[in-house]
Amino acid sequence: MVTRRCGGGVPVTAGAGGAIRFDLPEADDFTRPYWDAAAEGRLLLRRCRAEGCGAAHHYPREFCPYCWSEDVGWERATGRATLYTWSVVHRNDLPPFGGRVPYIAAVVDLAEGPRMMTEITDCADSELRIGMPLVVHFRAVGAESAANVVGTASAVGAANTASAGVARGEAGGGVRGGTAGGVPGGGGAVVAVPVFRSA
């Protein structure tokens, strides 16, 4: 359970042992649909509904970064992407990233157009190629029993069930935990974050 959160990108105190970690997102009323969808194994984007625009964007904003319209809404992404660039991280002293090194930090081009910062998993860095096809899946974070789980939504759902005891996965598996999709501040023990692997 998250007990303290400072402003963007700084640590949270989480878990029964009060461990400090830097990998839990901070959800608010605006971003909660994004994190709830991720907990169900779905990636959301924002798309402008203004006439003559229609551009999709990511990271989520309350306005269109292209035409400045506030007429934007959530849309389910296909989960397909291509690799734009990457870097292999061999050292990261911020917990819990030190236990994950080496890992592949990447930027991907989503099929809908926007670029997204993410991580590539289940693929050796020697196999990576610019433009290679990728597909989204979700990593569970936020509970000791699920800290290193990487897999499909159903695998993350199993971790959430074990750690929170309240998951009810839908067809294809979900990762819901607590009353707000496992998002910090929402009562759940596990959060799902989108990562990518070779398609």
Side-chain angles (χ1 to χ4, degrees):
M1 178 176 173
V2 172
T3 57
R4 180 178 63 85
R5 175 73 183 184
C6 299
V10 295
V12 294
T13 302
I20 300 293
R21 54 189 307 147
F22 289 77
D23 63 338
L24 294 174
E26 183 175 1
D28 56 24
D29 288 342
F30 171 67
T31 60
R32 192 163 306 281
Y34 178 85
W35 296 113
D36 283 349
E40 296 170 351
R42 296 179 293 121
L43 177 63
L44 295 186
L45 299 174
R46 298 281 283 174
R47 185 173 295 277
C48 182
R49 295 181 228 171
E51 187 174 338
C53 184
H57 66 269
H58 188 81
Y59 62 93
R61 281 160 274 192
E62 297 185 50
F63 60 91
C64 175
Y66 302 101
C67 74
W68 302 100
S69 170
E70 294 181 3
D71 187 11
V72 293
W74 294 104
E75 164 182 302
R76 183 174 182 170
T78 63
R80 300 275 174 192
T82 56
L83 184 58
Y84 177 73
T85 190
W86 76 92
S87 180
V88 180
V89 179
H90 292 278
R91 181 170 179 164
N92 187 337
D93 294 331
L94 299 176
F97 297 105
R100 296 180 188 165
V101 294
Y103 63 88
I104 303 166
V107 177
V108 300
D109 287 325
L110 299 174
E112 293 78 9
R115 283 198 173 137
M116 177 179 179
M117 294 179 65
T118 187
E119 184 179 341
I120 306 298
T121 65
D122 305 327
C123 185
D125 60 275
S126 60
E127 299 174 14
L128 298 176
R129 301 289 180 267
I130 297 297
M132 72 182 288
L134 303 167
V135 65
V136 74
H137 63 125
F138 295 85
R139 165 187 282 137
V141 296
E144 290 74 15
S145 63
N148 294 316
V149 173
V150 178
T152 62
S154 55
V156 179
N160 203 31
T161 301
S163 63
V166 293
R168 288 195 180 97
E170 300 172 0
V175 291
R176 284 201 165 274
T179 58
V183 178
V190 178
V191 177
V193 295
V195 293
F196 284 77
R197 63 181 168 210
S198 180

